[in-house]
């Protein structure tokens, strides 16, 4: 009998890669989606005949209870959140309601309906914020510096509380930055690769960015969803840092991206103070020793390979758009 998984955020970058991975493992996959007048299923368009979409909303406990009663999942992957940091400053209440309280509602629905289900929370390195130790590991204190980080920290600790108080198999993966050709346009990595493609095709001449010195630990989403799955196959529920252990600056990302299109970034990039964060997070670097040691997880795609893949995908997209063709690129 096939195992059943429920994914919140199935239409996002991670949800699409996780769906593919679970289908390859023989799972029956269900995805929680909000009702919308304009459904956005681009990232999972190639999977719609193989997954089941379930209407529900993280703001509505009753709808979550109904979905879990209907699906009876063995595993729940909670990926949905308002996770774009600049928007969290513009909409801190919405961010808290969705990311923090949405997790509380989902955990409560699991406790009430299917307490034997295994629960994964997609946490975030943004919880470390003003870092109190480098590299960051599971025991590094959290010091969030954005509404997103604060909401994720609430969700993280609540997941631990539900495990310890109600004996749920509930775990939190502390995900460092992970990208792909399916990354949202609002994120700086995708802004860069799409900007490169538009400049290469003559549609733009410059790319405006914020702090080029900011450093992040970047990996590929396809690698990170595999780590999520491994966490739910483990004997015990626990917290794991998921990251590459390498730090790269935004400038390094920019340089590789422009080189992939045979361009010199210095001729096109303009640093614009408008894109600086109110409270900048300077250096984030994961210490993935625990997940490598206990779960045997290793990333398979390098930083350079990630950047080049994203640029090539956006070059193809922009070229198709310029000729009036519709092209969906799946990595």
């Amino acid at each position: 009998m096939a195992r059943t998984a429920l994914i919140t955020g199935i239409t996002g970058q991670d949800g699409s890669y996780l769906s593919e991975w679970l289908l390859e493992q023989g799972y029956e996959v269900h995805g929680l989606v909000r009702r919308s007048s304009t459904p956005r299923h681009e990232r999972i368009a190639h999977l719609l005949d193989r997954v089941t979409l379930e209407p529900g909303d993280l703001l509505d406990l009753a709808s979550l209870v109904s979905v879990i009663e209907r699906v009876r999942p063995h595993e729940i992957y909670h990926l949905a959140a308002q996770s774009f940091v600049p928007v969290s400053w513009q909409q801190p209440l919405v961010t808290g309601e969705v990311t923090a309280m949405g997790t509380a509602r989902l955990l409560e629905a699991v406790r009430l309906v299917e307490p034997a289900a295994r629960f994964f929370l997609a946490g975030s390195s943004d919880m470390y914020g003003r870092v109190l130790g480098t590299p960051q590991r599971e025991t590094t204190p959290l010091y969030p510096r954005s509404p997103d980080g604060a909401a994720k920290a609430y969700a993280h600790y609540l997941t631990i509380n539900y495990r310890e108080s109600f004996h749920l198999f509930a775990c939190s993966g502390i995900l460092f930055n992970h990208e792909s050709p399916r990354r949202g346009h609002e994120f700086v990595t995708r802004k860069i690769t799409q900007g490169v493609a538009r400049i290469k095709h003559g549609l733009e001449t410059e790319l405006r960015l914020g702090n080029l010195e900011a450093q992040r630990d970047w990996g590929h989403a396809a690698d990170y969803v595999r780590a999520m799955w491994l966490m739910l196959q483990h004997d015990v529920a626990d917290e794991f840092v998921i990251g590459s252990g390498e730090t790269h600056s935004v400038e390094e990302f920019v340089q590789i991206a422009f080189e992939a299109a045979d361009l010199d970034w210095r001729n096109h990039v303009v640093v614009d103070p408008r894109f600086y964060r109110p409270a900048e997070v300077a250096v984030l670097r994961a210490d993935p020793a625990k997940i490598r040691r206990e779960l045997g997880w290793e990333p398979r795609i390098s930083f350079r390979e990630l950047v080049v893949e994203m640029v090539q995908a956006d070059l193809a997209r922009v070229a198709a758009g310029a000729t009036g063709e519709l092209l969906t690129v799946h990595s």
Side-chain angles (χ1 to χ4, degrees):
M1 181 179 176
R3 295 183 65 77
T4 300
L6 174 65
I7 303 172
T8 73
I10 192 171
T11 60
Q13 169 190 253
D14 293 5
S16 67
Y17 282 107
L18 179 59
S19 296
E20 290 174 347
W21 173 258
L22 293 175
L23 289 168
E24 288 174 8
Q25 311 312 308
Y27 280 70
E28 178 184 312
V29 176
H30 296 251
L32 183 75
V33 291
R34 285 181 300 167
R35 293 192 182 277
S36 172
S37 58
T38 55
R40 300 191 64 180
H41 299 153
E42 297 93 338
R43 296 184 183 92
I44 58 169
H46 60 303
L47 302 175
L48 287 176
D49 61 340
R50 303 173 61 196
V51 302
T52 303
L53 301 183
E54 307 285 351
D57 198 316
L58 291 173
L59 303 183
D60 178 22
L61 175 61
S63 74
L64 299 177
V65 167
S66 177
V67 169
I68 294 174
E69 284 179 338
R70 186 164 61 252
V71 175
R72 294 291 175 179
H74 299 95
E75 297 173 7
I76 298 169
Y77 296 87
H78 181 34
L79 313 183
Q82 193 306 99
S83 58
F84 186 45
V85 174
V87 170
S88 80
W89 284 105
Q90 298 163 9
Q91 301 178 10
L93 299 184
V94 171
T95 299
E97 195 63 54
V98 173
T99 301
M101 295 310 298
T103 301
R105 294 184 190 94
L106 184 57
L107 280 166
E108 185 64 6
V110 173
R111 183 185 74 84
L112 292 172
V113 180
E114 197 66 31
R118 296 193 167 199
F119 179 92
F120 171 86
L121 169 71
S124 170
S125 60
D126 200 40
M127 299 187 298
Y128 292 118
R130 184 176 179 180
V131 295
L132 300 177
T134 299
Q136 293 85 49
R137 51 183 63 94
E138 293 78 8
T139 54
T140 302
L142 307 183
Y143 194 145
R145 298 197 80 196
S146 70
D148 169 67
K152 285 284 179 64
Y154 175 91
H156 172 78
Y157 282 122
L158 193 68
T159 298
I160 295 172
N161 273 265
Y162 265 71
R163 180 176 73 229
E164 295 177 348
S165 300
F166 302 118
H167 308 295
L168 300 185
F169 192 105
C171 52
S172 176
I174 305 173
L175 296 156
F176 280 67
N177 292 58
H178 49 291
E179 320 296 319
S180 77
R182 303 178 196 173
R183 190 56 145 155
H185 296 278
E186 67 273 19
F187 291 90
V188 67
T189 51
R190 189 69 193 288
K191 179 181 179 180
I192 293 168
T193 60
Q194 190 175 48
V196 168
R198 291 182 63 80
I199 290 170
K200 182 67 175 179
H201 286 291
L203 300 176
E204 304 283 352
T205 59
E206 68 176 27
L207 174 62
R208 291 184 169 268
L209 297 170
N211 182 13
L212 298 184
E213 297 178 2
Q215 297 184 44
R216 296 291 183 269
D217 183 321
W218 275 300
H220 198 295
D223 280 333
Y224 287 35
V225 300
R226 185 165 41 85
M228 300 175 188
W229 177 77
L230 285 170
M231 286 177 62
L232 293 196
Q233 313 316 306
H234 196 35
D235 293 336
V236 295
D238 204 351
E239 279 64 62
F240 289 94
V241 162
I242 304 173
S244 72
E246 300 177 0
T247 297
H248 299 276
S249 68
V250 174
E251 184 175 314
E252 284 181 79
F253 195 107
V254 166
Q255 181 178 347
I256 295 171
F258 276 86
E259 285 177 354
D262 297 318
L263 296 170
D264 186 339
W265 71 273
R266 289 165 294 191
N267 295 332
H268 303 284
V269 173
V270 177
V271 175
D272 189 334
R274 290 181 303 165
F275 297 113
Y276 278 65
R277 290 184 180 182
E280 183 58 75
V281 177
V283 180
L284 289 173
R285 183 170 78 249
D287 178 1
K290 181 179 175 182
I291 193 169
R292 290 178 173 180
R293 180 180 66 250
E294 296 190 16
L295 303 186
W297 176 83
E298 293 279 353
R300 297 171 179 170
I301 302 167
S302 71
F303 173 70
R304 178 172 291 274
E305 289 170 334
L306 164 67
V307 178
V308 171
E309 180 188 355
M310 292 179 67
V311 171
Q312 291 175 341
D314 273 327
L315 284 168
R317 284 193 184 99
V318 173
T323 59
E325 297 173 6
L326 179 63
L327 177 68
T328 301
V329 178
H330 300 299
S331 61

